[in-house]
mmCIF file with all atom_site columns, all heavy atoms in Angstrom:
data_model
loop_
_atom_site.group_PDB
_atom_site.id
_atom_site.type_symbol
_atom_site.label_atom_id
_atom_site.label_alt_id
_atom_site.label_comp_id
_atom_site.label_asym_id
_atom_site.label_entity_id
_atom_site.label_seq_id
_atom_site.pdbx_PDB_ins_code
_atom_site.Cartn_x
_atom_site.Cartn_y
_atom_site.Cartn_z
_atom_site.occupancy
_atom_site.B_iso_or_equiv
_atom_site.pdbx_formal_charge
_atom_site.auth_seq_id
_atom_site.auth_comp_id
_atom_site.auth_asym_id
_atom_site.auth_atom_id
_atom_site.pdbx_PDB_model_num
ATOM 1   N N   . LEU A 1 1  ? -111.285 -38.760 -65.452 1.00 97.00 ? 1  LEU A N   1
ATOM 2   C CA  . LEU A 1 1  ? -110.937 -39.110 -66.831 1.00 97.00 ? 1  LEU A CA  1
ATOM 3   C C   . LEU A 1 1  ? -111.947 -38.584 -67.845 1.00 97.00 ? 1  LEU A C   1
ATOM 4   O O   . LEU A 1 1  ? -113.159 -38.642 -67.634 1.00 97.00 ? 1  LEU A O   1
ATOM 5   C CB  . LEU A 1 1  ? -110.839 -40.637 -66.985 1.00 97.00 ? 1  LEU A CB  1
ATOM 6   C CG  . LEU A 1 1  ? -109.499 -41.307 -66.682 1.00 97.00 ? 1  LEU A CG  1
ATOM 7   C CD1 . LEU A 1 1  ? -109.590 -42.789 -67.008 1.00 97.00 ? 1  LEU A CD1 1
ATOM 8   C CD2 . LEU A 1 1  ? -108.351 -40.662 -67.444 1.00 97.00 ? 1  LEU A CD2 1
ATOM 9   N N   . ALA A 1 2  ? -111.407 -38.103 -68.952 1.00 96.00 ? 2  ALA A N   1
ATOM 10  C CA  . ALA A 1 2  ? -112.229 -37.690 -70.092 1.00 96.00 ? 2  ALA A CA  1
ATOM 11  C C   . ALA A 1 2  ? -111.778 -38.482 -71.315 1.00 96.00 ? 2  ALA A C   1
ATOM 12  O O   . ALA A 1 2  ? -110.735 -39.138 -71.307 1.00 96.00 ? 2  ALA A O   1
ATOM 13  C CB  . ALA A 1 2  ? -112.081 -36.187 -70.332 1.00 96.00 ? 2  ALA A CB  1
ATOM 14  N N   . LYS A 1 3  ? -112.552 -38.413 -72.370 1.00 96.00 ? 3  LYS A N   1
ATOM 15  C CA  . LYS A 1 3  ? -112.252 -39.168 -73.584 1.00 96.00 ? 3  LYS A CA  1
ATOM 16  C C   . LYS A 1 3  ? -110.877 -38.792 -74.136 1.00 96.00 ? 3  LYS A C   1
ATOM 17  O O   . LYS A 1 3  ? -110.508 -37.619 -74.164 1.00 96.00 ? 3  LYS A O   1
ATOM 18  C CB  . LYS A 1 3  ? -113.335 -38.930 -74.643 1.00 96.00 ? 3  LYS A CB  1
ATOM 19  C CG  . LYS A 1 3  ? -113.221 -39.850 -75.845 1.00 96.00 ? 3  LYS A CG  1
ATOM 20  C CD  . LYS A 1 3  ? -114.446 -39.748 -76.734 1.00 96.00 ? 3  LYS A CD  1
ATOM 21  C CE  . LYS A 1 3  ? -114.268 -40.561 -78.011 1.00 96.00 ? 3  LYS A CE  1
ATOM 22  N NZ  . LYS A 1 3  ? -113.927 -41.960 -77.788 1.00 96.00 ? 3  LYS A NZ  1
ATOM 23  N N   . ASP A 1 4  ? -110.129 -39.822 -74.526 1.00 97.00 ? 4  ASP A N   1
ATOM 24  C CA  . ASP A 1 4  ? -108.791 -39.727 -75.131 1.00 97.00 ? 4  ASP A CA  1
ATOM 25  C C   . ASP A 1 4  ? -107.674 -39.396 -74.146 1.00 97.00 ? 4  ASP A C   1
ATOM 26  O O   . ASP A 1 4  ? -106.529 -39.191 -74.557 1.00 97.00 ? 4  ASP A O   1
ATOM 27  C CB  . ASP A 1 4  ? -108.772 -38.700 -76.277 1.00 97.00 ? 4  ASP A CB  1
ATOM 28  C CG  . ASP A 1 4  ? -109.666 -39.126 -77.432 1.00 97.00 ? 4  ASP A CG  1
ATOM 29  O OD1 . ASP A 1 4  ? -109.767 -40.346 -77.676 1.00 97.00 ? 4  ASP A OD1 1
ATOM 30  O OD2 . ASP A 1 4  ? -110.265 -38.237 -78.076 1.00 97.00 ? 4  ASP A OD2 1
ATOM 31  N N   . ASP A 1 5  ? -107.995 -39.365 -72.862 1.00 97.00 ? 5  ASP A N   1
ATOM 32  C CA  . ASP A 1 5  ? -106.944 -39.157 -71.859 1.00 97.00 ? 5  ASP A CA  1
ATOM 33  C C   . ASP A 1 5  ? -106.008 -40.370 -71.804 1.00 97.00 ? 5  ASP A C   1
ATOM 34  O O   . ASP A 1 5  ? -106.405 -41.499 -72.124 1.00 97.00 ? 5  ASP A O   1
ATOM 35  C CB  . ASP A 1 5  ? -107.545 -38.929 -70.471 1.00 97.00 ? 5  ASP A CB  1
ATOM 36  C CG  . ASP A 1 5  ? -108.153 -37.543 -70.308 1.00 97.00 ? 5  ASP A CG  1
ATOM 37  O OD1 . ASP A 1 5  ? -108.018 -36.728 -71.248 1.00 97.00 ? 5  ASP A OD1 1
ATOM 38  O OD2 . ASP A 1 5  ? -108.766 -37.281 -69.248 1.00 97.00 ? 5  ASP A OD2 1
ATOM 39  N N   . ILE A 1 6  ? -104.783 -40.113 -71.353 1.00 98.00 ? 6  ILE A N   1
ATOM 40  C CA  . ILE A 1 6  ? -103.779 -41.180 -71.192 1.00 98.00 ? 6  ILE A CA  1
ATOM 41  C C   . ILE A 1 6  ? -103.318 -41.195 -69.740 1.00 98.00 ? 6  ILE A C   1
ATOM 42  O O   . ILE A 1 6  ? -102.990 -40.152 -69.164 1.00 98.00 ? 6  ILE A O   1
ATOM 43  C CB  . ILE A 1 6  ? -102.565 -40.948 -72.116 1.00 98.00 ? 6  ILE A CB  1
ATOM 44  C CG1 . ILE A 1 6  ? -102.996 -40.890 -73.584 1.00 98.00 ? 6  ILE A CG1 1
ATOM 45  C CG2 . ILE A 1 6  ? -101.519 -42.052 -71.924 1.00 98.00 ? 6  ILE A CG2 1
ATOM 46  C CD1 . ILE A 1 6  ? -101.874 -40.491 -74.530 1.00 98.00 ? 6  ILE A CD1 1
ATOM 47  N N   . VAL A 1 7  ? -103.277 -42.389 -69.160 1.00 98.00 ? 7  VAL A N   1
ATOM 48  C CA  . VAL A 1 7  ? -102.771 -42.566 -67.799 1.00 98.00 ? 7  VAL A CA  1
ATOM 49  C C   . VAL A 1 7  ? -101.493 -43.392 -67.879 1.00 98.00 ? 7  VAL A C   1
ATOM 50  O O   . VAL A 1 7  ? -101.504 -44.524 -68.364 1.00 98.00 ? 7  VAL A O   1
ATOM 51  C CB  . VAL A 1 7  ? -103.797 -43.280 -66.886 1.00 98.00 ? 7  VAL A CB  1
ATOM 52  C CG1 . VAL A 1 7  ? -103.266 -43.337 -65.454 1.00 98.00 ? 7  VAL A CG1 1
ATOM 53  C CG2 . VAL A 1 7  ? -105.147 -42.572 -66.934 1.00 98.00 ? 7  VAL A CG2 1
ATOM 54  N N   . ILE A 1 8  ? -100.389 -42.821 -67.402 1.00 98.00 ? 8  ILE A N   1
ATOM 55  C CA  . ILE A 1 8  ? -99.085  -43.496 -67.448 1.00 98.00 ? 8  ILE A CA  1
ATOM 56  C C   . ILE A 1 8  ? -98.654  -43.814 -66.018 1.00 98.00 ? 8  ILE A C   1
ATOM 57  O O   . ILE A 1 8  ? -98.619  -42.933 -65.156 1.00 98.00 ? 8  ILE A O   1
ATOM 58  C CB  . ILE A 1 8  ? -98.022  -42.603 -68.115 1.00 98.00 ? 8  ILE A CB  1
ATOM 59  C CG1 . ILE A 1 8  ? -98.470  -42.187 -69.521 1.00 98.00 ? 8  ILE A CG1 1
ATOM 60  C CG2 . ILE A 1 8  ? -96.671  -43.330 -68.181 1.00 98.00 ? 8  ILE A CG2 1
ATOM 61  C CD1 . ILE A 1 8  ? -97.607  -41.085 -70.134 1.00 98.00 ? 8  ILE A CD1 1
ATOM 62  N N   . TYR A 1 9  ? -98.348  -45.077 -65.783 1.00 98.00 ? 9  TYR A N   1
ATOM 63  C CA  . TYR A 1 9  ? -97.892  -45.503 -64.461 1.00 98.00 ? 9  TYR A CA  1
ATOM 64  C C   . TYR A 1 9  ? -96.374  -45.653 -64.461 1.00 98.00 ? 9  TYR A C   1
ATOM 65  O O   . TYR A 1 9  ? -95.779  -46.160 -65.414 1.00 98.00 ? 9  TYR A O   1
ATOM 66  C CB  . TYR A 1 9  ? -98.552  -46.827 -64.065 1.00 98.00 ? 9  TYR A CB  1
ATOM 67  C CG  . TYR A 1 9  ? -100.035 -46.691 -63.801 1.00 98.00 ? 9  TYR A CG  1
ATOM 68  C CD1 . TYR A 1 9  ? -100.980 -46.888 -64.820 1.00 98.00 ? 9  TYR A CD1 1
ATOM 69  C CD2 . TYR A 1 9  ? -100.512 -46.342 -62.540 1.00 98.00 ? 9  TYR A CD2 1
ATOM 70  C CE1 . TYR A 1 9  ? -102.337 -46.746 -64.582 1.00 98.00 ? 9  TYR A CE1 1
ATOM 71  C CE2 . TYR A 1 9  ? -101.870 -46.196 -62.292 1.00 98.00 ? 9  TYR A CE2 1
ATOM 72  C CZ  . TYR A 1 9  ? -102.775 -46.406 -63.320 1.00 98.00 ? 9  TYR A CZ  1
ATOM 73  O OH  . TYR A 1 9  ? -104.128 -46.265 -63.080 1.00 98.00 ? 9  TYR A OH  1
ATOM 74  N N   . GLU A 1 10 ? -95.747  -45.208 -63.362 1.00 96.00 ? 10 GLU A N   1
ATOM 75  C CA  . GLU A 1 10 ? -94.294  -45.351 -63.214 1.00 96.00 ? 10 GLU A CA  1
ATOM 76  C C   . GLU A 1 10 ? -93.921  -46.215 -62.017 1.00 96.00 ? 10 GLU A C   1
ATOM 77  O O   . GLU A 1 10 ? -92.780  -46.655 -61.902 1.00 96.00 ? 10 GLU A O   1
ATOM 78  C CB  . GLU A 1 10 ? -93.633  -43.970 -63.060 1.00 96.00 ? 10 GLU A CB  1
ATOM 79  C CG  . GLU A 1 10 ? -93.642  -43.130 -64.315 1.00 96.00 ? 10 GLU A CG  1
ATOM 80  C CD  . GLU A 1 10 ? -92.371  -42.301 -64.466 1.00 96.00 ? 10 GLU A CD  1
ATOM 81  O OE1 . GLU A 1 10 ? -91.521  -42.336 -63.546 1.00 96.00 ? 10 GLU A OE1 1
ATOM 82  O OE2 . GLU A 1 10 ? -92.211  -41.639 -65.498 1.00 96.00 ? 10 GLU A OE2 1
ATOM 83  N N   . SER A 1 11 ? -94.862  -46.461 -61.127 1.00 94.00 ? 11 SER A N   1
ATOM 84  C CA  . SER A 1 11 ? -94.574  -47.190 -59.892 1.00 94.00 ? 11 SER A CA  1
ATOM 85  C C   . SER A 1 11 ? -94.225  -48.651 -60.179 1.00 94.00 ? 11 SER A C   1
ATOM 86  O O   . SER A 1 11 ? -94.738  -49.254 -61.116 1.00 94.00 ? 11 SER A O   1
ATOM 87  C CB  . SER A 1 11 ? -95.789  -47.137 -58.961 1.00 94.00 ? 11 SER A CB  1
ATOM 88  O OG  . SER A 1 11 ? -96.236  -45.811 -58.790 1.00 94.00 ? 11 SER A OG  1
ATOM 89  N N   . THR A 1 12 ? -93.358  -49.208 -59.337 1.00 93.00 ? 12 THR A N   1
ATOM 90  C CA  . THR A 1 12 ? -92.995  -50.618 -59.467 1.00 93.00 ? 12 THR A CA  1
ATOM 91  C C   . THR A 1 12 ? -94.206  -51.508 -59.206 1.00 93.00 ? 12 THR A C   1
ATOM 92  O O   . THR A 1 12 ? -94.895  -51.351 -58.194 1.00 93.00 ? 12 THR A O   1
ATOM 93  C CB  . THR A 1 12 ? -91.892  -50.983 -58.456 1.00 93.00 ? 12 THR A CB  1
ATOM 94  O OG1 . THR A 1 12 ? -90.745  -50.196 -58.729 1.00 93.00 ? 12 THR A OG1 1
ATOM 95  C CG2 . THR A 1 12 ? -91.535  -52.461 -58.556 1.00 93.00 ? 12 THR A CG2 1
ATOM 96  N N   . VAL A 1 13 ? -94.448  -52.433 -60.122 1.00 95.00 ? 13 VAL A N   1
ATOM 97  C CA  . VAL A 1 13 ? -95.535  -53.404 -59.963 1.00 95.00 ? 13 VAL A CA  1
ATOM 98  C C   . VAL A 1 13 ? -95.072  -54.752 -60.516 1.00 95.00 ? 13 VAL A C   1
ATOM 99  O O   . VAL A 1 13 ? -94.039  -54.841 -61.165 1.00 95.00 ? 13 VAL A O   1
ATOM 100 C CB  . VAL A 1 13 ? -96.820  -52.971 -60.705 1.00 95.00 ? 13 VAL A CB  1
ATOM 101 C CG1 . VAL A 1 13 ? -97.458  -51.767 -60.033 1.00 95.00 ? 13 VAL A CG1 1
ATOM 102 C CG2 . VAL A 1 13 ? -96.524  -52.665 -62.171 1.00 95.00 ? 13 VAL A CG2 1
ATOM 103 N N   . TYR A 1 14 ? -95.843  -55.797 -60.280 1.00 95.00 ? 14 TYR A N   1
ATOM 104 C CA  . TYR A 1 14 ? -95.541  -57.078 -60.921 1.00 95.00 ? 14 TYR A CA  1
ATOM 105 C C   . TYR A 1 14 ? -96.074  -57.053 -62.354 1.00 95.00 ? 14 TYR A C   1
ATOM 106 O O   . TYR A 1 14 ? -96.987  -56.275 -62.677 1.00 95.00 ? 14 TYR A O   1
ATOM 107 C CB  . TYR A 1 14 ? -96.145  -58.246 -60.129 1.00 95.00 ? 14 TYR A CB  1
ATOM 108 C CG  . TYR A 1 14 ? -97.612  -58.120 -59.805 1.00 95.00 ? 14 TYR A CG  1
ATOM 109 C CD1 . TYR A 1 14 ? -98.589  -58.374 -60.756 1.00 95.00 ? 14 TYR A CD1 1
ATOM 110 C CD2 . TYR A 1 14 ? -98.029  -57.757 -58.522 1.00 95.00 ? 14 TYR A CD2 1
ATOM 111 C CE1 . TYR A 1 14 ? -99.937  -58.263 -60.460 1.00 95.00 ? 14 TYR A CE1 1
ATOM 112 C CE2 . TYR A 1 14 ? -99.379  -57.640 -58.209 1.00 95.00 ? 14 TYR A CE2 1
ATOM 113 C CZ  . TYR A 1 14 ? -100.319 -57.905 -59.186 1.00 95.00 ? 14 TYR A CZ  1
ATOM 114 O OH  . TYR A 1 14 ? -101.654 -57.789 -58.891 1.00 95.00 ? 14 TYR A OH  1
ATOM 115 N N   . PRO A 1 15 ? -95.522  -57.864 -63.231 1.00 96.00 ? 15 PRO A N   1
ATOM 116 C CA  . PRO A 1 15 ? -95.986  -57.863 -64.628 1.00 96.00 ? 15 PRO A CA  1
ATOM 117 C C   . PRO A 1 15 ? -97.478  -58.158 -64.731 1.00 96.00 ? 15 PRO A C   1
ATOM 118 O O   . PRO A 1 15 ? -97.961  -59.159 -64.186 1.00 96.00 ? 15 PRO A O   1
ATOM 119 C CB  . PRO A 1 15 ? -95.152  -58.984 -65.270 1.00 96.00 ? 15 PRO A CB  1
ATOM 120 C CG  . PRO A 1 15 ? -93.933  -59.085 -64.416 1.00 96.00 ? 15 PRO A CG  1
ATOM 121 C CD  . PRO A 1 15 ? -94.388  -58.778 -63.027 1.00 96.00 ? 15 PRO A CD  1
ATOM 122 N N   . GLY A 1 16 ? -98.192  -57.270 -65.381 1.00 96.00 ? 16 GLY A N   1
ATOM 123 C CA  . GLY A 1 16 ? -99.636  -57.431 -65.553 1.00 96.00 ? 16 GLY A CA  1
ATOM 124 C C   . GLY A 1 16 ? -100.485 -56.559 -64.654 1.00 96.00 ? 16 GLY A C   1
ATOM 125 O O   . GLY A 1 16 ? -101.694 -56.425 -64.870 1.00 96.00 ? 16 GLY A O   1
ATOM 126 N N   . ALA A 1 17 ? -99.875  -55.936 -63.643 1.00 96.00 ? 17 ALA A N   1
ATOM 127 C CA  . ALA A 1 17 ? -100.657 -55.201 -62.639 1.00 96.00 ? 17 ALA A CA  1
ATOM 128 C C   . ALA A 1 17 ? -101.400 -54.006 -63.226 1.00 96.00 ? 17 ALA A C   1
ATOM 129 O O   . ALA A 1 17 ? -102.541 -53.727 -62.838 1.00 96.00 ? 17 ALA A O   1
ATOM 130 C CB  . ALA A 1 17 ? -99.751  -54.741 -61.500 1.00 96.00 ? 17 ALA A CB  1
ATOM 131 N N   . THR A 1 18 ? -100.782 -53.286 -64.150 1.00 97.00 ? 18 THR A N   1
ATOM 132 C CA  . THR A 1 18 ? -101.433 -52.098 -64.723 1.00 97.00 ? 18 THR A CA  1
ATOM 133 C C   . THR A 1 18 ? -102.769 -52.467 -65.346 1.00 97.00 ? 18 THR A C   1
ATOM 134 O O   . THR A 1 18 ? -103.803 -51.834 -65.070 1.00 97.00 ? 18 THR A O   1
ATOM 135 C CB  . THR A 1 18 ? -100.531 -51.429 -65.774 1.00 97.00 ? 18 THR A CB  1
ATOM 136 O OG1 . THR A 1 18 ? -99.324  -51.004 -65.134 1.00 97.00 ? 18 THR A OG1 1
ATOM 137 C CG2 . THR A 1 18 ? -101.225 -50.224 -66.397 1.00 97.00 ? 18 THR A CG2 1
ATOM 138 N N   . GLU A 1 19 ? -102.751 -53.505 -66.169 1.00 97.00 ? 19 GLU A N   1
ATOM 139 C CA  . GLU A 1 19 ? -103.974 -53.884 -66.888 1.00 97.00 ? 19 GLU A CA  1
ATOM 140 C C   . GLU A 1 19 ? -104.921 -54.733 -66.043 1.00 97.00 ? 19 GLU A C   1
ATOM 141 O O   . GLU A 1 19 ? -106.132 -54.713 -66.257 1.00 97.00 ? 19 GLU A O   1
ATOM 142 C CB  . GLU A 1 19 ? -103.584 -54.621 -68.179 1.00 97.00 ? 19 GLU A CB  1
ATOM 143 C CG  . GLU A 1 19 ? -102.991 -53.662 -69.220 1.00 97.00 ? 19 GLU A CG  1
ATOM 144 C CD  . GLU A 1 19 ? -102.034 -54.339 -70.187 1.00 97.00 ? 19 GLU A CD  1
ATOM 145 O OE1 . GLU A 1 19 ? -101.077 -54.980 -69.723 1.00 97.00 ? 19 GLU A OE1 1
ATOM 146 O OE2 . GLU A 1 19 ? -102.247 -54.212 -71.399 1.00 97.00 ? 19 GLU A OE2 1
ATOM 147 N N   . GLU A 1 20 ? -104.382 -55.459 -65.059 1.00 96.00 ? 20 GLU A N   1
ATOM 148 C CA  . GLU A 1 20 ? -105.230 -56.326 -64.235 1.00 96.00 ? 20 GLU A CA  1
ATOM 149 C C   . GLU A 1 20 ? -105.832 -55.604 -63.033 1.00 96.00 ? 20 GLU A C   1
ATOM 150 O O   . GLU A 1 20 ? -106.949 -55.924 -62.607 1.00 96.00 ? 20 GLU A O   1
ATOM 151 C CB  . GLU A 1 20 ? -104.409 -57.527 -63.728 1.00 96.00 ? 20 GLU A CB  1
ATOM 152 C CG  . GLU A 1 20 ? -103.948 -58.466 -64.833 1.00 96.00 ? 20 GLU A CG  1
ATOM 153 C CD  . GLU A 1 20 ? -102.900 -59.457 -64.346 1.00 96.00 ? 20 GLU A CD  1
ATOM 154 O OE1 . GLU A 1 20 ? -102.696 -59.543 -63.111 1.00 96.00 ? 20 GLU A OE1 1
ATOM 155 O OE2 . GLU A 1 20 ? -102.277 -60.130 -65.183 1.00 96.00 ? 20 GLU A OE2 1
ATOM 156 N N   . VAL A 1 21 ? -105.103 -54.632 -62.471 1.00 97.00 ? 21 VAL A N   1
ATOM 157 C CA  . VAL A 1 21 ? -105.546 -53.957 -61.248 1.00 97.00 ? 21 VAL A CA  1
ATOM 158 C C   . VAL A 1 21 ? -106.014 -52.526 -61.531 1.00 97.00 ? 21 VAL A C   1
ATOM 159 O O   . VAL A 1 21 ? -107.118 -52.135 -61.139 1.00 97.00 ? 21 VAL A O   1
ATOM 160 C CB  . VAL A 1 21 ? -104.420 -53.938 -60.184 1.00 97.00 ? 21 VAL A CB  1
ATOM 161 C CG1 . VAL A 1 21 ? -104.866 -53.171 -58.942 1.00 97.00 ? 21 VAL A CG1 1
ATOM 162 C CG2 . VAL A 1 21 ? -104.007 -55.353 -59.821 1.00 97.00 ? 21 VAL A CG2 1
ATOM 163 N N   . CYS A 1 22 ? -105.184 -51.754 -62.222 1.00 98.00 ? 22 CYS A N   1
ATOM 164 C CA  . CYS A 1 22 ? -105.465 -50.318 -62.387 1.00 98.00 ? 22 CYS A CA  1
ATOM 165 C C   . CYS A 1 22 ? -106.543 -50.035 -63.426 1.00 98.00 ? 22 CYS A C   1
ATOM 166 O O   . CYS A 1 22 ? -107.447 -49.214 -63.187 1.00 98.00 ? 22 CYS A O   1
ATOM 167 C CB  . CYS A 1 22 ? -104.185 -49.576 -62.757 1.00 98.00 ? 22 CYS A CB  1
ATOM 168 S SG  . CYS A 1 22 ? -102.869 -49.759 -61.543 1.00 98.00 ? 22 CYS A SG  1
ATOM 169 N N   . VAL A 1 23 ? -106.456 -50.696 -64.571 1.00 98.00 ? 23 VAL A N   1
ATOM 170 C CA  . VAL A 1 23 ? -107.408 -50.415 -65.660 1.00 98.00 ? 23 VAL A CA  1
ATOM 171 C C   . VAL A 1 23 ? -108.860 -50.656 -65.240 1.00 98.00 ? 23 VAL A C   1
ATOM 172 O O   . VAL A 1 23 ? -109.729 -49.810 -65.503 1.00 98.00 ? 23 VAL A O   1
ATOM 173 C CB  . VAL A 1 23 ? -107.043 -51.207 -66.927 1.00 98.00 ? 23 VAL A CB  1
ATOM 174 C CG1 . VAL A 1 23 ? -108.201 -51.207 -67.921 1.00 98.00 ? 23 VAL A CG1 1
ATOM 175 C CG2 . VAL A 1 23 ? -105.795 -50.617 -67.570 1.00 98.00 ? 23 VAL A CG2 1
ATOM 176 N N   . PRO A 1 24 ? -109.200 -51.780 -64.592 1.00 98.00 ? 24 PRO A N   1
ATOM 177 C CA  . PRO A 1 24 ? -110.592 -51.975 -64.166 1.00 98.00 ? 24 PRO A CA  1
ATOM 178 C C   . PRO A 1 24 ? -111.098 -50.858 -63.244 1.00 98.00 ? 24 PRO A C   1
ATOM 179 O O   . PRO A 1 24 ? -112.277 -50.484 -63.318 1.00 98.00 ? 24 PRO A O   1
ATOM 180 C CB  . PRO A 1 24 ? -110.556 -53.322 -63.434 1.00 98.00 ? 24 PRO A CB  1
ATOM 181 C CG  . PRO A 1 24 ? -109.410 -54.056 -64.047 1.00 98.00 ? 24 PRO A CG  1
ATOM 182 C CD  . PRO A 1 24 ? -108.383 -52.998 -64.324 1.00 98.00 ? 24 PRO A CD  1
ATOM 183 N N   . ILE A 1 25 ? -110.208 -50.343 -62.381 1.00 98.00 ? 25 ILE A N   1
ATOM 184 C CA  . ILE A 1 25 ? -110.605 -49.239 -61.494 1.00 98.00 ? 25 ILE A CA  1
ATOM 185 C C   . ILE A 1 25 ? -110.889 -47.984 -62.311 1.00 98.00 ? 25 ILE A C   1
ATOM 186 O O   . ILE A 1 25 ? -111.882 -47.281 -62.081 1.00 98.00 ? 25 ILE A O   1
ATOM 187 C CB  . ILE A 1 25 ? -109.506 -48.972 -60.445 1.00 98.00 ? 25 ILE A CB  1
ATOM 188 C CG1 . ILE A 1 25 ? -109.362 -50.172 -59.506 1.00 98.00 ? 25 ILE A CG1 1
ATOM 189 C CG2 . ILE A 1 25 ? -109.814 -47.703 -59.643 1.00 98.00 ? 25 ILE A CG2 1
ATOM 190 C CD1 . ILE A 1 25 ? -108.143 -50.089 -58.590 1.00 98.00 ? 25 ILE A CD1 1
ATOM 191 N N   . LEU A 1 26 ? -110.015 -47.702 -63.267 1.00 98.00 ? 26 LEU A N   1
ATOM 192 C CA  . LEU A 1 26 ? -110.219 -46.531 -64.128 1.00 98.00 ? 26 LEU A CA  1
ATOM 193 C C   . LEU A 1 26 ? -111.536 -46.639 -64.896 1.00 98.00 ? 26 LEU A C   1
ATOM 194 O O   . LEU A 1 26 ? -112.282 -45.661 -65.014 1.00 98.00 ? 26 LEU A O   1
ATOM 195 C CB  . LEU A 1 26 ? -109.051 -46.390 -65.107 1.00 98.00 ? 26 LEU A CB  1
ATOM 196 C CG  . LEU A 1 26 ? -107.670 -46.087 -64.504 1.00 98.00 ? 26 LEU A CG  1
ATOM 197 C CD1 . LEU A 1 26 ? -106.584 -46.172 -65.576 1.00 98.00 ? 26 LEU A CD1 1
ATOM 198 C CD2 . LEU A 1 26 ? -107.651 -44.708 -63.851 1.00 98.00 ? 26 LEU A CD2 1
ATOM 199 N N   . GLU A 1 27 ? -111.822 -47.835 -65.408 1.00 98.00 ? 27 GLU A N   1
ATOM 200 C CA  . GLU A 1 27 ? -113.078 -48.043 -66.155 1.00 98.00 ? 27 GLU A CA  1
ATOM 201 C C   . GLU A 1 27 ? -114.285 -47.871 -65.243 1.00 98.00 ? 27 GLU A C   1
ATOM 202 O O   . GLU A 1 27 ? -115.272 -47.214 -65.603 1.00 98.00 ? 27 GLU A O   1
ATOM 203 C CB  . GLU A 1 27 ? -113.088 -49.436 -66.774 1.00 98.00 ? 27 GLU A CB  1
ATOM 204 C CG  . GLU A 1 27 ? -112.172 -49.599 -67.974 1.00 98.00 ? 27 GLU A CG  1
ATOM 205 C CD  . GLU A 1 27 ? -112.366 -50.930 -68.672 1.00 98.00 ? 27 GLU A CD  1
ATOM 206 O OE1 . GLU A 1 27 ? -112.438 -51.959 -67.964 1.00 98.00 ? 27 GLU A OE1 1
ATOM 207 O OE2 . GLU A 1 27 ? -112.429 -50.957 -69.918 1.00 98.00 ? 27 GLU A OE2 1
ATOM 208 N N   . GLN A 1 28 ? -114.193 -48.467 -64.059 1.00 97.00 ? 28 GLN A N   1
ATOM 209 C CA  . GLN A 1 28 ? -115.325 -48.421 -63.125 1.00 97.00 ? 28 GLN A CA  1
ATOM 210 C C   . GLN A 1 28 ? -115.627 -46.995 -62.680 1.00 97.00 ? 28 GLN A C   1
ATOM 211 O O   . GLN A 1 28 ? -116.794 -46.571 -62.635 1.00 97.00 ? 28 GLN A O   1
ATOM 212 C CB  . GLN A 1 28 ? -115.012 -49.296 -61.903 1.00 97.00 ? 28 GLN A CB  1
ATOM 213 C CG  . GLN A 1 28 ? -116.142 -49.342 -60.878 1.00 97.00 ? 28 GLN A CG  1
ATOM 214 C CD  . GLN A 1 28 ? -115.749 -50.121 -59.635 1.00 97.00 ? 28 GLN A CD  1
ATOM 215 O OE1 . GLN A 1 28 ? -114.566 -50.251 -59.330 1.00 97.00 ? 28 GLN A OE1 1
ATOM 216 N NE2 . GLN A 1 28 ? -116.719 -50.645 -58.913 1.00 97.00 ? 28 GLN A NE2 1
ATOM 217 N N   . GLN A 1 29 ? -114.584 -46.247 -62.345 1.00 97.00 ? 29 GLN A N   1
ATOM 218 C CA  . GLN A 1 29 ? -114.776 -44.891 -61.832 1.00 97.00 ? 29 GLN A CA  1
ATOM 219 C C   . GLN A 1 29 ? -115.189 -43.899 -62.923 1.00 97.00 ? 29 GLN A C   1
ATOM 220 O O   . GLN A 1 29 ? -115.906 -42.941 -62.653 1.00 97.00 ? 29 GLN A O   1
ATOM 221 C CB  . GLN A 1 29 ? -113.485 -44.398 -61.162 1.00 97.00 ? 29 GLN A CB  1
ATOM 222 C CG  . GLN A 1 29 ? -113.092 -45.172 -59.910 1.00 97.00 ? 29 GLN A CG  1
ATOM 223 C CD  . GLN A 1 29 ? -114.051 -44.955 -58.755 1.00 97.00 ? 29 GLN A CD  1
ATOM 224 O OE1 . GLN A 1 29 ? -114.678 -43.909 -58.636 1.00 97.00 ? 29 GLN A OE1 1
ATOM 225 N NE2 . GLN A 1 29 ? -114.195 -45.965 -57.903 1.00 97.00 ? 29 GLN A NE2 1
ATOM 226 N N   . SER A 1 30 ? -114.743 -44.129 -64.147 1.00 97.00 ? 30 SER A N   1
ATOM 227 C CA  . SER A 1 30 ? -114.988 -43.158 -65.224 1.00 97.00 ? 30 SER A CA  1
ATOM 228 C C   . SER A 1 30 ? -116.187 -43.499 -66.090 1.00 97.00 ? 30 SER A C   1
ATOM 229 O O   . SER A 1 30 ? -116.772 -42.613 -66.735 1.00 97.00 ? 30 SER A O   1
ATOM 230 C CB  . SER A 1 30 ? -113.756 -43.071 -66.118 1.00 97.00 ? 30 SER A CB  1
ATOM 231 O OG  . SER A 1 30 ? -113.556 -44.287 -66.824 1.00 97.00 ? 30 SER A OG  1
#
C-alpha cells in the first residue's frame, strides 16, 4: 500500500468484517 490507495473487497463477509478484520491488517502491514 501507498498513500491514497484504495482497497475494494468483493468477497462475501458478515457485516462489519471489512473494517473489523481487513482494515487493521492493512494498517499493520503498511
Side-chain angles (χ1 to χ4, degrees):
L1 273 185
K3 190 170 174 55
D4 296 326
D5 285 355
I6 301 173
V7 185
I8 304 168
Y9 291 92
E10 290 216 356
S11 309
T12 299
V13 290
Y14 52 78
T18 298
E19 288 153 305
E20 294 168 11
V21 177
C22 302
V23 165
I25 294 170
L26 295 172
E27 286 188 314
Q28 181 185 24
Q29 295 292 331
S30 67

